[in-house]
């Protein structure tokens, strides 16, 4: 591993071990908490790996160290030397008996003390981002992305880099962000799918990780205006083949997070049993028809043909303890590119994967319409402009191939895995309709 600059500094996790007891070590980090009690000052040091209590005793350190310890404020950065001791009263069971301490960057009064409201905390996001909760979630997200990449590389999927600036909508105009592009109009990508489809004709199995943008009108617990989208597209894959890939991918990610991030899951008080249930595949599959029956049985006033909202999805998740699929949606509630079921052309060969425990949709995918005529007909039916999709239609003219793909909302997955109740904490700087600050 690359060493960080500076000789001899260790990390909290490296010193909080039985074999380190009695050793003198050097650490550096930020003041997580400070208490001054008579001739003792307790400073809890926070670094990227955790926290450790540092005890400064007035008569046992040089004058300068004591002065610095008195002066240091919460969130100041500092360097410290001391002897590792066991102390069951200290957080984590270890303490550093300080022999030397120096401030690096003295902090002004930190504007977050605890108990502030969410809007205030979002305004101070650049500082709130240091919180242990957000740190734990960011580490989980790191492991989610790393696991996804591991799975995809091992299974022969090519990583590609589609554009963010696009000329046409993938998921319909309602959530499209328009932008000024020199003297023309362009859009921010809602999905890389259409470009990934072009790439399967050479690479066959492709994937990308990009920001996607949705001008979501309402503020909900699970919608961001900008989110990270992991998308796969495979030539020769039919719907069921692609569903298998999606459940393998999700169960692999959950497995790796359980292995790598158990400390963070515990910090977040995540019930790991719920995650362990997701290791076993295949996940259950129901058709949209059945979903409607279940909902009607549960007293929902919903008719065949209507879209499932967050409340409906939440109710459906009560029926399952693992992620599960809903398939074969009515064509009128799904995108133009989805292939119609040849047995039953009022429904599409589309699938959503829903996470249990109320979380709902984490993946949307489908088999794609691969016939030029049928795709053109759908474009007309939906009142879209065929000119905008000329290049996309071309893909059906030059060696068309059956193919399928899906998109996974990274923050939706992280939200479920972390067991948190709002999507905003799965991304460092969340974007909603109301704010782009900081
Ligand atoms: O279901 P969606 O709209 O599907 C597509 O965009 C397809 N073109 C993907 C594909 O087949 N390549 O979006 C896919 C996933 C959703 O299941 C959800 O997890 C996530 O993207 N998602 C959002 N996540 C956060 N905030 C939003 N506003 C989201 N909208 C969709
Ligand atoms: Mg969807």
């Amino acid at each position: 591993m690359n060493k960080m600059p500076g000789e001899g500094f260790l990390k909290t996790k490296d010193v909080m071990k039985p074999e380190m007891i009695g050793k003198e070590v050097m650490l550096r980090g930020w003041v997580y908490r400070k208490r001054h009690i008579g001739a003792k000052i307790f400073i809890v040091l926070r670094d990227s790996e955790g926290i450790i209590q540092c005890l400064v005793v007035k008569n046992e350190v040089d004058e300068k160290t004591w002065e610095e310890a008195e002066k240091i404020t919460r969130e100041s950065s500092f360097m410290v030397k001391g002897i590792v001791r066991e102390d069951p009263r200290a957080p984590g069971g270890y303490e550093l008996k300080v022999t030397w301490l120096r401030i690096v960057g003295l902090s002004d009064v930190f504007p977050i003390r605890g108990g502030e409201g969410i809007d205030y905390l979002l305004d101070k996001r650049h500082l709130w981002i240091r919180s242990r909760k957000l740190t734990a979630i960011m580490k989980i997200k790191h492991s989610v992305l790393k696991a996804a990449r591991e799975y995809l590389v091992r299974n022969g999927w090519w990583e590609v880099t589609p554009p963010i600036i696009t000329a046409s909508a993938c998921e319909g105009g309602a959530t499209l962000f328009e932008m000024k592009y020199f003297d023309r109009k362009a859009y921010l990508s809602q999905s890389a799918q259409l470009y990934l489809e072009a790439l399967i004709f050479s690479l066959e199995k492709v994937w990308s990780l990009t920001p996607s943008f949705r001008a979501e009108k309402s503020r909900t617990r699970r919608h961001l205006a900008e989110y990270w989208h992991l998308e796969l597209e495979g030539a020769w894959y039919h719907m069921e083949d692609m569903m298998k890939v999606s459940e393998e991918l999700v169960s692999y990610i959950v497995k790796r997070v359980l292995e790598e991030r158990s400390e963070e899951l515990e910090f977040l008080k995540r019930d790991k049993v719920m995650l362990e249930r997701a290791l076993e595949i295949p996940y259950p599959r129901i058709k949209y028809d059945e979903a409607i029956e279940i909902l009607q049985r549960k007293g929902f006033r919903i008719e065949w043909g209507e879209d499932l909202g967050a409340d409906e999805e939440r109710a459906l998740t009560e029926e399952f303890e693992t992620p599960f699929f809903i398939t074969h949606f009515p064509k009128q509630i799904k995108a133009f590119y989805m292939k119609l079921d040849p047995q039953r052309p009022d429904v599409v060969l589309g699938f959503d994967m829903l996470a249990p425990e109320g979380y709902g949709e984490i993946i949307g995918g489908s088999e794609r319409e691969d016939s030029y005529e049928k795709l053109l007909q759908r474009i007309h039916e939906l009142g879209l402009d065929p000119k905008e999709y000329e290049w996309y239609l071309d893909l059906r003219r030059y060696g068309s191939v059956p193919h399928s793909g899906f998109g996974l909302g990274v923050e939706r997955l992280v939200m479920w895995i972390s067991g948190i109740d709002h999507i905003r904490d799965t991304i460092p700087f969340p974007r909603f309709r109301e704010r782009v600050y900081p």
Side-chain angles (χ1 to χ4, degrees):
M1 213 195 312
N2 260 344
K3 271 182 62 182
M4 284 176 85
E7 267 310 298
F9 289 100
L10 297 181
K11 291 273 170 250
T12 46
K13 75 155 189 244
D14 301 324
V15 309
M16 297 173 85
K17 291 176 182 166
E19 63 266 33
M20 297 303 287
I21 293 167
K23 297 216 167 108
E24 184 167 66
V25 298
M26 264 206 306
L27 295 170
R28 56 186 170 184
W30 289 262
V31 179
Y32 180 62
R33 259 191 244 127
K34 179 183 171 183
R35 268 185 308 147
H36 192 153
I37 305 170
K40 288 181 179 171
I41 297 175
F42 295 88
I43 299 169
V44 178
L45 175 144
R46 167 178 66 73
D47 68 10
S48 55
E49 302 297 338
I51 59 171
I52 187 169
Q53 175 167 294
C54 308
L55 169 62
V56 193
V57 180
K58 186 168 185 185
N59 296 325
E60 296 173 28
V61 292
D62 62 86
E63 216 168 289
K64 174 82 176 155
T65 291
W66 179 254
E67 274 171 29
E68 296 268 288
E70 279 192 304
K71 190 167 128 194
I72 203 166
T73 49
R74 203 157 63 82
E75 289 304 324
S76 296
S77 53
F78 70 111
M79 303 184 287
V80 65
K81 210 188 274 188
I83 316 280
V84 181
R85 312 201 294 199
E86 214 167 4
D87 186 340
R89 291 161 305 176
Y94 292 87
E95 182 182 71
L96 200 69
K97 177 75 190 307
V98 174
T99 54
W100 175 90
L101 182 150
R102 290 293 179 274
I103 295 170
V104 175
L106 186 67
S107 173
D108 285 353
V109 176
F110 201 63
I112 301 166
R113 296 155 165 275
E116 289 89 355
I118 187 61
D119 282 313
Y120 180 83
L121 290 174
L122 282 172
D123 277 340
K124 298 278 183 267
R125 187 69 166 189
H126 52 298
L127 302 175
W128 180 233
I129 206 76
R130 306 176 182 193
S131 76
R132 294 183 76 207
K133 177 181 174 189
L134 290 179
T135 304
I137 299 168
M138 284 188 283
K139 287 183 179 176
I140 290 170
K141 192 175 196 177
H142 162 89
S143 293
V144 163
L145 293 172
K146 178 167 153 238
R149 184 169 259 112
E150 258 166 36
Y151 172 87
L152 293 163
V153 169
R154 280 187 200 163
N155 288 285
W157 294 84
W158 295 98
E159 182 171 6
V160 295
T161 56
I164 299 299
I165 300 174
T166 69
S168 45
C170 180
E171 294 301 319
T175 61
L176 202 53
F177 270 112
E178 214 175 278
M179 63 174 279
K180 196 164 153 304
Y181 185 72
F182 301 101
D183 53 356
R184 260 161 301 157
K185 250 188 346 195
Y187 309 102
L188 293 178
S189 172
Q190 299 170 306
S191 162
Q193 179 193 324
L194 307 188
Y195 298 101
L196 296 185
E197 285 187 59
L199 285 156
I200 61 161
F201 292 83
S202 50
L203 296 167
E204 297 188 77
K205 293 164 67 173
V206 299
W207 71 282
S208 62
L209 174 64
T210 60
S212 273
F213 299 86
R214 305 283 169 109
E216 302 284 353
K217 301 294 183 282
S218 53
R219 191 166 168 175
T220 75
R221 286 173 180 278
R222 57 178 203 164
H223 286 96
L224 291 162
E226 176 180 7
Y227 70 97
W228 286 86
H229 207 169
L230 182 87
E231 294 178 274
L232 276 73
E233 196 69 31
W236 317 106
Y237 280 73
H238 293 287
M239 177 169 82
E240 183 59 37
D241 307 317
M242 199 45 82
M243 289 167 67
K244 282 190 183 132
V245 174
S246 71
E247 65 194 352
E248 264 183 41
L249 173 66
V250 168
S251 77
Y252 183 78
I253 292 172
V254 171
K255 170 173 152 301
R256 296 293 287 136
V257 172
L258 281 166
E259 286 165 3
E260 281 183 6
R261 296 273 79 90
S262 89
E263 235 175 80
E264 286 76 13
L265 292 170
E266 278 157 29
F267 180 81
L268 296 169
K269 301 195 167 59
R270 180 64 170 118
D271 179 2
K272 290 187 197 169
V273 174
M274 287 311 291
L275 296 178
E276 279 156 10
R277 291 198 179 117
L279 298 178
E280 202 178 310
I281 50 174
Y283 297 148
R285 289 141 163 74
I286 57 168
K287 291 193 170 165
Y288 169 90
D289 297 359
E290 210 178 321
I292 293 296
E293 280 167 28
I294 295 171
L295 289 170
Q296 288 174 343
R297 223 186 303 129
K298 284 176 166 274
F300 278 82
R301 291 173 57 168
I302 187 168
E303 296 300 324
W304 196 96
E306 290 177 50
D307 206 356
L308 309 176
D311 293 340
E312 287 80 13
E313 286 191 3
R314 193 172 311 112
L316 289 168
T317 68
E318 289 162 9
E319 309 289 302
F320 301 91
E321 293 199 307
T322 67
F324 63 99
F325 290 102
I326 305 177
T327 64
H328 301 86
F329 295 89
K331 65 177 179 183
Q332 62 266 34
I333 59 169
K334 289 291 180 189
F336 73 98
Y337 52 71
M338 290 195 185
K339 191 177 172 78
L340 304 182
D341 184 347
Q343 318 296 319
R344 213 190 128 182
D346 57 336
V347 299
V348 291
L349 296 176
F351 61 94
D352 280 1
M353 188 195 291
L354 279 68
E357 303 169 83
Y359 284 92
E361 182 184 345
I362 55 174
I363 281 179
S366 76
E367 186 157 342
R368 321 305 190 187
E369 184 50 74
D370 50 88
S371 142
Y372 179 89
E373 287 76 24
K374 288 184 185 154
L375 183 60
L376 184 60
Q377 194 189 328
R378 287 293 289 147
I379 287 175
H380 281 302
E381 273 173 25
L382 291 167
L384 301 169
D385 179 3
K387 265 247 222 27
E388 258 184 34
Y389 296 98
E390 219 165 63
W391 70 268
Y392 183 66
L393 282 158
D394 265 357
L395 305 178
R396 279 72 183 161
R397 291 174 63 207
Y398 302 101
S400 195
V401 63
H403 64 289
S404 302
F406 66 85
L408 176 146
V410 175
E411 287 77 15
R412 295 268 183 98
L413 180 61
V414 171
M415 189 178 161
W416 166 61
I417 289 178
S418 306
I420 56 173
D421 62 4
H422 203 293
I423 199 164
R424 65 177 163 242
D425 288 339
T426 60
I427 191 158
F429 296 95
R431 268 73 180 99
F432 301 115
R433 186 187 174 91
E434 291 86 350
R435 58 168 70 242
V436 276
Y437 177 85

